[in-house]
PDB file of all heavy atoms in Angstrom:
ATOM      1  N   ARG A1316      16.027  25.474 -71.893  1.00 39.00           N
ATOM      2  CA  ARG A1316      17.198  25.959 -72.632  1.00 39.00           C
ATOM      3  C   ARG A1316      16.747  26.898 -73.718  1.00 39.00           C
ATOM      4  O   ARG A1316      15.953  26.543 -74.591  1.00 39.00           O
ATOM      5  CB  ARG A1316      17.921  24.761 -73.224  1.00 39.00           C
ATOM      6  CG  ARG A1316      19.256  25.100 -73.826  1.00 39.00           C
ATOM      7  CD  ARG A1316      19.981  23.820 -74.163  1.00 39.00           C
ATOM      8  NE  ARG A1316      19.118  22.909 -74.929  1.00 39.00           N
ATOM      9  CZ  ARG A1316      19.178  21.603 -74.821  1.00 39.00           C
ATOM     10  NH1 ARG A1316      20.016  21.024 -73.989  1.00 39.00           N
ATOM     11  NH2 ARG A1316      18.373  20.820 -75.557  1.00 39.00           N
ATOM     12  N   GLY A1319      18.808  29.804 -79.968  1.00 35.00           N
ATOM     13  CA  GLY A1319      19.484  30.908 -80.638  1.00 35.00           C
ATOM     14  C   GLY A1319      20.413  31.646 -79.745  1.00 35.00           C
ATOM     15  O   GLY A1319      21.164  31.093 -78.952  1.00 35.00           O
ATOM     16  N   SER A1335       4.139  32.659 -79.499  1.00 33.00           N
ATOM     17  CA  SER A1335       4.236  33.670 -80.547  1.00 33.00           C
ATOM     18  C   SER A1335       5.256  33.267 -81.547  1.00 33.00           C
ATOM     19  O   SER A1335       6.181  32.523 -81.241  1.00 33.00           O
ATOM     20  CB  SER A1335       4.580  35.036 -79.924  1.00 33.00           C
ATOM     21  OG  SER A1335       4.862  35.988 -80.946  1.00 33.00           O
ATOM     22  N   VAL A1342      20.299  38.364 -75.802  1.00 34.00           N
ATOM     23  CA  VAL A1342      20.971  38.847 -74.593  1.00 34.00           C
ATOM     24  C   VAL A1342      22.459  38.672 -74.793  1.00 34.00           C
ATOM     25  O   VAL A1342      22.919  37.526 -74.991  1.00 34.00           O
ATOM     26  CB  VAL A1342      20.534  38.106 -73.327  1.00 34.00           C
ATOM     27  CG1 VAL A1342      21.203  38.646 -72.111  1.00 34.00           C
ATOM     28  CG2 VAL A1342      19.031  38.186 -73.200  1.00 34.00           C
ATOM     29  N   THR A1346      26.135  39.399 -69.952  1.00 35.00           N
ATOM     30  CA  THR A1346      25.484  40.637 -69.526  1.00 35.00           C
ATOM     31  C   THR A1346      25.203  40.572 -68.026  1.00 35.00           C
ATOM     32  O   THR A1346      24.500  39.683 -67.562  1.00 35.00           O
ATOM     33  CB  THR A1346      24.170  40.836 -70.282  1.00 35.00           C
ATOM     34  OG1 THR A1346      24.464  40.892 -71.691  1.00 35.00           O
ATOM     35  CG2 THR A1346      23.467  42.096 -69.859  1.00 35.00           C
ATOM     36  N   PRO A1347      25.716  41.498 -67.248  1.00 36.00           N
ATOM     37  CA  PRO A1347      25.462  41.452 -65.778  1.00 36.00           C
ATOM     38  C   PRO A1347      23.984  41.580 -65.506  1.00 36.00           C
ATOM     39  O   PRO A1347      23.301  42.444 -66.055  1.00 36.00           O
ATOM     40  CB  PRO A1347      26.268  42.646 -65.235  1.00 36.00           C
ATOM     41  CG  PRO A1347      27.269  42.946 -66.310  1.00 36.00           C
ATOM     42  CD  PRO A1347      26.613  42.607 -67.590  1.00 36.00           C
ATOM     43  N   PRO A1355      29.676  30.034 -66.218  1.00 39.00           N
ATOM     44  CA  PRO A1355      30.923  29.597 -66.800  1.00 39.00           C
ATOM     45  C   PRO A1355      31.395  28.240 -66.281  1.00 39.00           C
ATOM     46  O   PRO A1355      32.080  27.526 -66.955  1.00 39.00           O
ATOM     47  CB  PRO A1355      31.897  30.702 -66.432  1.00 39.00           C
ATOM     48  CG  PRO A1355      31.290  31.352 -65.225  1.00 39.00           C
ATOM     49  CD  PRO A1355      29.810  31.276 -65.426  1.00 39.00           C
ATOM     50  N   GLY A1359      35.986  28.857 -60.302  1.00 52.00           N
ATOM     51  CA  GLY A1359      36.954  29.790 -59.771  1.00 52.00           C
ATOM     52  C   GLY A1359      36.347  30.868 -58.916  1.00 52.00           C
ATOM     53  O   GLY A1359      37.010  31.550 -58.161  1.00 52.00           O
ATOM     54  N   GLY A1368      33.449  19.104 -65.588  1.00 71.00           N
ATOM     55  CA  GLY A1368      33.656  18.841 -66.981  1.00 71.00           C
ATOM     56  C   GLY A1368      34.869  19.510 -67.549  1.00 71.00           C
ATOM     57  O   GLY A1368      35.131  19.425 -68.755  1.00 71.00           O
ATOM     58  N   GLY A1370      38.240  19.299 -66.237  1.00 72.00           N
ATOM     59  CA  GLY A1370      39.544  18.831 -65.760  1.00 72.00           C
ATOM     60  C   GLY A1370      39.465  17.420 -65.281  1.00 72.00           C
ATOM     61  O   GLY A1370      38.341  16.828 -65.186  1.00 72.00           O
ATOM     62  N   THR A1437      19.450  -6.019 -27.983  1.00 72.00           N
ATOM     63  CA  THR A1437      19.596  -5.151 -29.147  1.00 72.00           C
ATOM     64  C   THR A1437      21.045  -5.013 -29.506  1.00 72.00           C
ATOM     65  O   THR A1437      21.940  -5.170 -28.661  1.00 72.00           O
ATOM     66  CB  THR A1437      19.003  -3.745 -28.882  1.00 72.00           C
ATOM     67  OG1 THR A1437      19.634  -3.192 -27.723  1.00 72.00           O
ATOM     68  CG2 THR A1437      17.524  -3.821 -28.637  1.00 72.00           C
ATOM     69  N   VAL A1448      20.873   9.066 -52.476  1.00 95.00           N
ATOM     70  CA  VAL A1448      20.164   8.963 -53.737  1.00 95.00           C
ATOM     71  C   VAL A1448      20.401  10.260 -54.496  1.00 95.00           C
ATOM     72  O   VAL A1448      19.975  11.334 -54.059  1.00 95.00           O
ATOM     73  CB  VAL A1448      18.655   8.757 -53.508  1.00 95.00           C
ATOM     74  CG1 VAL A1448      17.902   8.677 -54.825  1.00 95.00           C
ATOM     75  CG2 VAL A1448      18.428   7.500 -52.688  1.00 95.00           C
ATOM     76  N   LEU A1451      20.571  12.972 -61.145  1.00 92.00           N
ATOM     77  CA  LEU A1451      21.377  13.671 -62.193  1.00 92.00           C
ATOM     78  C   LEU A1451      20.575  13.704 -63.497  1.00 92.00           C
ATOM     79  O   LEU A1451      21.171  13.544 -64.569  1.00 92.00           O
ATOM     80  CB  LEU A1451      22.740  12.978 -62.377  1.00 92.00           C
ATOM     81  CG  LEU A1451      23.710  12.994 -61.201  1.00 92.00           C
ATOM     82  CD1 LEU A1451      25.018  12.359 -61.575  1.00 92.00           C
ATOM     83  CD2 LEU A1451      23.941  14.440 -60.719  1.00 92.00           C
ATOM     84  N   ALA A1453      18.136  15.371 -66.519  1.00 87.00           N
ATOM     85  CA  ALA A1453      18.493  16.473 -67.419  1.00 87.00           C
ATOM     86  C   ALA A1453      18.171  17.860 -66.810  1.00 87.00           C
ATOM     87  O   ALA A1453      18.775  18.855 -67.213  1.00 87.00           O
ATOM     88  CB  ALA A1453      17.736  16.314 -68.739  1.00 87.00           C
ATOM     89  N   LEU A1472      27.027  15.810 -52.430  1.00 93.00           N
ATOM     90  CA  LEU A1472      27.349  14.424 -52.116  1.00 93.00           C
ATOM     91  C   LEU A1472      28.748  14.336 -51.493  1.00 93.00           C
ATOM     92  O   LEU A1472      28.970  13.554 -50.553  1.00 93.00           O
ATOM     93  CB  LEU A1472      27.300  13.576 -53.386  1.00 93.00           C
ATOM     94  CG  LEU A1472      27.747  12.133 -53.253  1.00 93.00           C
ATOM     95  CD1 LEU A1472      26.851  11.361 -52.286  1.00 93.00           C
ATOM     96  CD2 LEU A1472      27.741  11.448 -54.631  1.00 93.00           C
ATOM     97  N   SER A1476      29.811  12.775 -47.844  1.00 89.00           N
ATOM     98  CA  SER A1476      30.815  11.749 -47.649  1.00 89.00           C
ATOM     99  C   SER A1476      31.864  12.143 -46.637  1.00 89.00           C
ATOM    100  O   SER A1476      32.254  11.331 -45.780  1.00 89.00           O
ATOM    101  CB  SER A1476      31.497  11.400 -48.976  1.00 89.00           C
ATOM    102  OG  SER A1476      32.362  12.451 -49.407  1.00 89.00           O
ATOM    103  N   VAL A1490      22.351   6.342 -58.125  1.00 94.00           N
ATOM    104  CA  VAL A1490      22.421   7.484 -59.008  1.00 94.00           C
ATOM    105  C   VAL A1490      21.468   7.229 -60.166  1.00 94.00           C
ATOM    106  O   VAL A1490      21.521   6.204 -60.845  1.00 94.00           O
ATOM    107  CB  VAL A1490      23.855   7.705 -59.533  1.00 94.00           C
ATOM    108  CG1 VAL A1490      23.934   8.935 -60.434  1.00 94.00           C
ATOM    109  CG2 VAL A1490      24.845   7.833 -58.372  1.00 94.00           C
ATOM    110  N   ALA A1514      33.048   7.789 -59.664  1.00 93.00           N
ATOM    111  CA  ALA A1514      32.070   7.100 -60.495  1.00 93.00           C
ATOM    112  C   ALA A1514      30.843   8.023 -60.741  1.00 93.00           C
ATOM    113  O   ALA A1514      30.298   8.047 -61.872  1.00 93.00           O
ATOM    114  CB  ALA A1514      31.623   5.810 -59.844  1.00 93.00           C
ATOM    115  N   ARG A1563       8.626   8.773 -47.501  1.00 92.00           N
ATOM    116  CA  ARG A1563       7.997   8.563 -46.190  1.00 92.00           C
ATOM    117  C   ARG A1563       8.181   7.121 -45.748  1.00 92.00           C
ATOM    118  O   ARG A1563       8.343   6.842 -44.533  1.00 92.00           O
ATOM    119  CB  ARG A1563       6.513   8.909 -46.281  1.00 92.00           C
ATOM    120  CG  ARG A1563       6.235  10.378 -46.510  1.00 92.00           C
ATOM    121  CD  ARG A1563       4.777  10.690 -46.600  1.00 92.00           C
ATOM    122  NE  ARG A1563       4.075  10.473 -45.321  1.00 92.00           N
ATOM    123  CZ  ARG A1563       2.805  10.715 -45.157  1.00 92.00           C
ATOM    124  NH1 ARG A1563       2.052  11.161 -46.161  1.00 92.00           N
ATOM    125  NH2 ARG A1563       2.235  10.525 -43.978  1.00 92.00           N
ATOM    126  N   ILE A1574      18.547  17.266 -49.768  1.00 95.00           N
ATOM    127  CA  ILE A1574      19.373  18.375 -50.227  1.00 95.00           C
ATOM    128  C   ILE A1574      18.760  18.895 -51.550  1.00 95.00           C
ATOM    129  O   ILE A1574      18.815  18.200 -52.586  1.00 95.00           O
ATOM    130  CB  ILE A1574      20.843  17.967 -50.445  1.00 95.00           C
ATOM    131  CG1 ILE A1574      21.427  17.461 -49.137  1.00 95.00           C
ATOM    132  CG2 ILE A1574      21.651  19.118 -51.008  1.00 95.00           C
ATOM    133  CD1 ILE A1574      22.884  17.031 -49.226  1.00 95.00           C
ATOM    134  N   VAL A1587      13.874  40.057 -70.364  1.00 86.00           N
ATOM    135  CA  VAL A1587      14.718  39.970 -71.566  1.00 86.00           C
ATOM    136  C   VAL A1587      13.841  39.859 -72.826  1.00 86.00           C
ATOM    137  O   VAL A1587      14.312  39.348 -73.869  1.00 86.00           O
ATOM    138  CB  VAL A1587      15.689  38.767 -71.486  1.00 86.00           C
ATOM    139  CG1 VAL A1587      16.711  38.977 -70.375  1.00 86.00           C
ATOM    140  CG2 VAL A1587      14.918  37.475 -71.248  1.00 86.00           C
ATOM    141  N   ASP A1594      12.131  22.338 -72.673  1.00 77.00           N
ATOM    142  CA  ASP A1594      12.261  21.402 -71.576  1.00 77.00           C
ATOM    143  C   ASP A1594      12.993  20.151 -72.090  1.00 77.00           C
ATOM    144  O   ASP A1594      12.426  19.408 -72.912  1.00 77.00           O
ATOM    145  CB  ASP A1594      10.892  21.032 -71.046  1.00 77.00           C
ATOM    146  CG  ASP A1594      10.951  20.082 -69.848  1.00 77.00           C
ATOM    147  OD1 ASP A1594      12.063  19.621 -69.517  1.00 77.00           O
ATOM    148  OD2 ASP A1594       9.871  19.804 -69.255  1.00 77.00           O
ATOM    149  N   GLY A1617       4.077  31.340 -58.630  1.00 92.00           N
ATOM    150  CA  GLY A1617       3.994  29.898 -58.839  1.00 92.00           C
ATOM    151  C   GLY A1617       5.270  29.200 -58.378  1.00 92.00           C
ATOM    152  O   GLY A1617       5.209  28.091 -57.799  1.00 92.00           O
TER     153      GLY A1617
END
Side-chain angles (χ1 to χ4, degrees):
R1316 187 171 51 213
S1335 171
V1342 182
T1346 301
T1437 56
V1448 179
L1451 294 183
L1472 174 62
S1476 73
V1490 182
R1563 293 178 68 177
I1574 300 181
V1587 292
D1594 182 354

